[in-house]
Amino acid sequence: MIKIPVFLFFFLLFPTWVLALDGNRILAQVDKNMQPDSYEMYRKLVNVEPDGSKKEFILYSVKKGPSTAVALFLQPASEKGRTTLRLGDNMWLYIPNVGKPIRITSMQSVVGGVFNNSDILRLDYSVEYSAQGVLNQGDSYLLDLKANSASVAYDRLKMTVDKATLLPTRIECYAVSGMLIKNLQYSKIKDFGDGLVRPSMLATESPLHKGYKSVMLFAKIKKKQVPDEVFTLNYLSRIDELR
Amino acid sequence: MNSDRKWLVFLLVAGVLFSLIPFISEASDDFTFELDEIEKSPLEWGGYVEIKLEHLDINQDGNQANLNYPKGVPATIDRFRPSLQVDGSYTAGIACFNWLFKLAGQQDNTGWTDSGDIYEVYSRVKIFENSMVDLGKKAFGWGKGYAWNPVGFVNRSKDPNDPQESLEGYVTGELELIKSFSESNSPGNMALTTLLIPVSDAINDEFGEGNGVNLAGKLYLLYQNTDIDFLFFIGGSRSSRFGVDFSRNITSNFEIHGEAAYITSKDRVLLLENGSTRHEENSVWSGLFGLRYLTANDLTSIIEYYHNGNGYTEEERVLFYRQITEGGVVVDEQTLRQLRELSLYGYSRPYAGRNYLYAKFTQKEPFDILYFTPGLTTIVNLDDQSASFTPELTYAGFTNFEIRLRFSLLTGSSLSEYGEKQIGNRIELRLRWFF
């Protein structure tokens, strides 16, 4: 008779879902690998329609800490100067002609298309979500993430994380109802310098907008220290000065 | 320019603009991001060219039309309105020079008119990261309301049907100080804005009376996730006034905002039963309360209630309208001239009544049509139940082009505000090209 040690017996029966705590550690590491604590970056957002025609937007963003970010539209001319600010759950939009910021919501889209405000002004994943579990899938983890509050754009995420790099490769975003809202796909790993190696492209498709696709390209992600005053309503007309 | 030629010009310009469309978008799956696309230049500039075509049906039974067209009220007016707006800035070190110009023309039944205005031209000097000084002509947008701003003590009046359009500023000196303080998970900040507004025959003469320098200020706080402003204006050009506004998200898709203003010694001219006028000075409260709500299927609703403490009551306005005609006949030219002056001073100013409701509904990209936004704006005078309804279609699918089609219907009983307006209905096509 072959004796199986008790601990090995339990290990074999142990479910593949491990403690959520490990999931939160992985998620925190994902955040760390995706961006410095405080940084600036440029993004090109491309909306692709079913007929293949494209509309492009270029944004300059500055982020400080886990829950503070601002994004300025540089192109096209019709959007130039529009600035969005996020402080935790608060979001504002500044339109140059209007001359004052107005409050907006995370699910709205400033530019139209599949990306919404929360995609453009994304906070650290570990700020908005907590891991409910981790599924070990060989060369990747599948994190089951639940929103920490009702104000988060997506109630649940299923995030696939590459084990070797601890970078996200695919994210499924779900509504409270359980309906799949969109799929996000990270690709094209690039060395941005200063030890930051991460995806330079994020593509998204939504079952709600069949045939439409949006792509976000990342460039010049660099550490940058800015004063807290930059993330205030009165500074929104001056964000371009930071470039 | 006769009507046929005017349409020919429009079709020619529109044809050129639309012929560019095939070159605007190109189909390709190759995504590139070149660094020269994000190079910064000290000189930044842009703007738009706009063509607006309007057809107006005149309310020939309305007293407002009788007032403005004593020699006979036209049945319709067709307008061709081209315009050009150019804005820009030049940055050198801690200083930045900003400008905004607008050229506009109008061809209608009465002929051609045009104008060129400097909306803004000012220098900004950044003293520290949290403080700056602006000197020159600059527009301000104080207040949280979309359609009206009772606390906009230094704002120009905006058109609630087009609240996002540029407005001309005033020559001011501005000092702004910002302070941010971060506690754990509780971002907060404050900002103090102080303005000096000189008024003389040569500067800001339309701002108010006399010669002198006025002082205005705004203290902004972000406290417990609520935007709060305390505002004031003191000086000899206008009576002193004090205000507060707020804005807050109740949930991520539901926002509320409000404004309250106390205006001391607000002047008002009142037409009396016997045809004479009386000047009144009262301290009044004005206020606004509004909400913005986004549904799961991307319908945005903005609803606002506005109380104009210095507005005319329904009875006062009815008395004014009744003086324009006598037994169904328009009064003599001299009386009309006096009434026209009164009209410009207050009675016929936009939203000169007491209580209004504003509602705007916009549906983002219905039927999966990207960049397409249908909407409906309605403004109701709550005192006489007259109203304007403006459905619109906006399409911005071609890079740097925006097309908007609007229809406005003004409706109300005889002697009501919208029932007496000069325009009965209007259809408008607006084409913009941004550069």
Side-chain angles (χ1 to χ4, degrees):
Chain A
M1 185 178 170
I2 301 168
K3 288 187 178 178
I4 299 174
V6 173
F7 77 88
L8 190 58
F9 174 79
F10 277 105
F11 178 78
L12 290 171
L13 289 183
F14 199 76
T16 49
W17 289 98
V18 294
L19 292 174
L21 181 66
D22 294 332
N24 287 324
R25 281 191 188 145
I26 293 167
L27 193 62
Q29 193 58 49
V30 165
D31 282 330
K32 208 171 167 184
N33 293 345
M34 285 291 281
Q35 66 262 319
D37 183 53
S38 293
Y39 64 95
E40 66 175 0
M41 71 173 165
Y42 289 86
R43 284 173 292 172
K44 181 188 272 189
L45 202 157
V46 187
N47 283 337
V48 187
E49 295 185 56
D51 65 358
S53 60
K54 293 191 289 189
K55 195 171 180 186
E56 297 185 348
F57 305 84
I58 293 179
L59 300 95
Y60 168 73
S61 315
V62 180
K63 189 164 177 287
K64 183 172 186 176
S67 58
T68 308
V70 67
L72 163 72
F73 282 87
L74 305 175
Q75 288 181 25
S78 57
E79 312 297 323
K80 191 176 178 180
R82 285 186 175 227
T83 310
T84 47
L85 169 68
R86 184 165 186 181
L87 294 173
D89 292 337
N90 301 287
M91 275 194 200
W92 296 267
L93 168 66
Y94 170 82
I95 302 169
N97 279 356
V98 180
K100 67 176 179 188
I102 53 170
R103 279 183 177 253
I104 52 173
T105 67
S106 56
M107 286 303 285
Q108 278 177 292
S109 174
V110 176
V111 295
V114 186
F115 280 119
N116 61 35
N117 293 334
S118 66
D119 298 319
I120 287 169
L121 285 175
R122 187 179 67 76
L123 304 185
D124 285 6
Y125 288 117
S126 53
V127 169
E128 294 194 307
Y129 295 94
S130 295
Q132 303 283 294
V134 185
L135 186 60
N136 193 332
Q137 295 183 313
D139 59 356
S140 65
Y141 297 112
L142 180 65
L143 303 187
D144 180 26
L145 307 174
K146 178 84 173 75
N148 292 331
S149 76
S151 63
V152 179
Y154 313 115
D155 180 64
R156 217 171 188 96
L157 302 180
K158 290 201 182 295
M159 180 189 287
T160 304
V161 179
D162 180 67
K163 261 189 195 176
T165 59
L166 284 182
L167 290 167
T169 55
R170 181 181 169 82
I171 302 172
E172 294 174 2
C173 309
Y174 294 88
V176 179
S177 62
M179 183 175 67
L180 178 65
I181 300 175
K182 67 176 69 165
N183 292 307
L184 301 169
Q185 191 84 37
Y186 282 102
S187 61
K188 295 191 180 177
I189 303 286
K190 179 181 167 185
D191 187 345
F192 287 90
D194 213 12
L196 183 68
V197 179
R198 53 152 287 170
S200 65
M201 181 166 147
L202 171 64
T204 180
E205 287 173 329
S206 169
L208 308 178
H209 304 276
K210 288 202 179 349
Y212 291 92
K213 187 167 77 170
S214 287
V215 171
M216 204 183 275
L217 305 169
F218 298 82
K220 290 181 83 171
I221 305 178
K222 285 194 315 192
K223 283 183 184 175
K224 187 178 182 86
Q225 291 297 332
V226 293
D228 289 340
E229 281 72 20
V230 163
F231 305 98
T232 60
L233 300 196
N234 294 63
Y235 207 98
L236 286 182
S237 62
R238 301 155 55 190
I239 294 299
D240 197 51
E241 294 172 10
L242 301 172
R243 295 173 61 209
Chain B
M1 191 188 283
N2 65 35
S3 182
D4 289 345
R5 278 178 59 194
K6 177 184 66 189
W7 279 99
L8 190 66
V9 168
F10 168 72
L11 290 171
L12 191 67
V13 174
V16 170
L17 292 173
F18 278 103
S19 69
L20 296 171
I21 287 166
F23 302 101
I24 293 164
S25 59
E26 54 185 70
S28 163
D29 270 339
D30 187 27
F31 302 108
T32 58
F33 193 5
E34 304 300 332
L35 292 184
D36 62 351
E37 294 178 83
I38 52 177
E39 258 179 39
K40 190 185 176 185
S41 160
L43 176 65
E44 298 274 345
W45 68 285
Y48 63 77
V49 177
E50 175 185 289
I51 290 170
K52 197 188 273 186
L53 289 170
E54 290 175 313
H55 174 82
L56 294 78
D57 283 333
I58 303 301
N59 177 15
Q60 291 180 290
D61 299 326
N63 276 305
Q64 199 66 52
N66 288 324
L67 192 66
N68 295 336
Y69 294 97
K71 291 175 182 171
V73 181
T76 62
I77 293 177
D78 290 308
R79 281 185 190 152
F80 169 63
R81 300 172 73 180
S83 63
L84 167 71
Q85 181 173 299
V86 181
D87 62 84
S89 65
Y90 183 80
T91 307
I94 61 165
C96 180
F97 182 67
N98 304 268
W99 62 87
L100 174 61
F101 307 138
K102 188 156 188 177
L103 298 172
Q106 180 172 297
Q107 172 71 41
D108 62 17
N109 306 28
T110 59
W112 171 263
T113 54
D114 52 46
S115 62
D117 293 299
I118 299 170
Y119 275 22
E120 292 189 318
V121 56
Y122 66 93
S123 293
R124 168 173 291 167
V125 178
K126 188 166 69 175
I127 306 167
F128 301 108
E129 202 64 66
N130 65 345
S131 57
M132 56 105 189
V133 171
D134 284 355
L135 290 172
K137 191 174 187 180
K138 188 182 171 190
F140 294 91
W142 288 8
K144 300 297 183 199
Y146 290 86
W148 301 282
N149 294 115
V151 300
F153 303 146
V154 291
N155 301 6
R156 297 267 183 180
S157 292
K158 59 187 172 187
D159 176 2
N161 283 301
D162 263 327
Q164 295 192 348
E165 293 304 294
S166 301
L167 295 168
E168 190 177 356
Y170 292 110
V171 176
T172 58
E174 177 187 9
L175 171 66
E176 189 168 82
L177 305 166
I178 309 170
K179 176 66 185 155
S180 185
F181 42 91
S182 298
E183 296 158 19
S184 61
N185 296 326
S186 178
N189 55 61
M190 60 190 293
L192 178 64
T193 306
T194 48
L195 288 180
L196 292 174
I197 310 157
V199 172
S200 71
D201 292 341
I203 301 171
N204 296 333
D205 58 325
E206 72 277 44
F207 183 83
E209 299 162 354
N211 294 329
V213 178
N214 305 276
L215 176 69
K218 177 164 75 91
L219 175 66
Y220 164 76
L221 302 169
L222 175 62
Y223 179 70
Q224 300 287 315
N225 293 322
T226 305
D227 297 319
I228 304 167
D229 289 298
F230 297 97
L231 313 95
F232 74 90
F233 172 92
I234 49 175
S237 305
R238 292 178 179 178
S239 62
S240 298
R241 45 203 70 189
F242 308 90
V244 62
D245 68 27
F246 80 95
S247 171
R248 179 184 173 82
N249 278 89
I250 302 298
T251 63
S252 66
N253 62 335
F254 182 37
E255 178 264 2
I256 57 169
H257 55 272
E259 299 182 20
Y262 180 69
I263 302 168
T264 63
S265 308
K266 182 69 177 163
D267 181 53
R268 198 169 69 130
V269 177
L270 205 58
L271 182 66
L272 303 178
E273 197 83 51
N274 60 7
S276 63
T277 56
R278 186 178 74 216
H279 274 264
E280 283 188 345
E281 269 196 8
N282 295 304
S283 293
V284 296
W285 281 96
S286 290
L288 177 139
F289 181 78
L291 60 88
R292 179 187 176 113
Y293 185 73
L294 175 73
T295 65
N297 55 3
D298 278 329
L299 175 72
T300 299
S301 305
I302 298 167
I303 297 169
E304 289 183 341
Y305 163 71
Y306 169 49
H307 172 71
N308 177 8
N310 198 49
Y312 292 101
T313 64
E314 191 183 354
E315 294 75 21
E316 289 164 348
R317 223 179 30 254
V318 165
L319 181 64
F320 172 78
Y321 291 138
R322 283 199 169 130
Q323 305 257 355
I324 296 170
T325 53
E326 215 170 81
V329 181
V330 179
V331 293
D332 62 275
E333 179 55 32
Q334 191 184 336
T335 310
L336 265 186
R337 206 176 304 123
Q338 290 170 348
L339 290 169
R340 218 171 284 136
E341 274 178 34
L342 269 179
S343 151
L344 293 171
Y345 188 85
Y347 280 95
S348 297
R349 280 188 175 180
Y351 315 104
R354 281 279 164 106
N355 297 289
Y356 292 92
L357 183 74
Y358 169 91
K360 180 165 188 172
F361 306 97
T362 50
Q363 177 65 56
K364 175 182 168 270
E365 300 171 351
F367 318 115
D368 243 6
I369 306 170
L370 213 57
Y371 316 116
F372 173 58
T373 311
L376 170 69
T377 304
T378 181
I379 300 170
V380 183
N381 180 319
L382 294 172
D383 298 319
D384 60 21
Q385 285 78 53
S386 64
S388 73
F389 297 94
T390 307
E392 67 177 54
L393 304 172
T394 305
Y395 184 69
F398 307 113
T399 298
N400 290 329
F401 279 83
E402 183 189 87
I403 303 162
R404 188 181 76 182
L405 180 64
R406 264 187 175 181
F407 176 73
S408 292
L409 176 68
L410 279 60
T411 174
S413 60
S414 176
L415 302 177
S416 67
E417 181 177 8
Y418 286 97
E420 294 293 347
K421 288 272 189 197
Q422 182 174 298
I423 297 165
N425 63 68
R426 178 177 68 177
I427 189 161
E428 172 200 291
L429 176 66
R430 190 182 82 179
L431 179 65
R432 267 187 189 177
W433 174 61
F434 296 87
F435 55 86

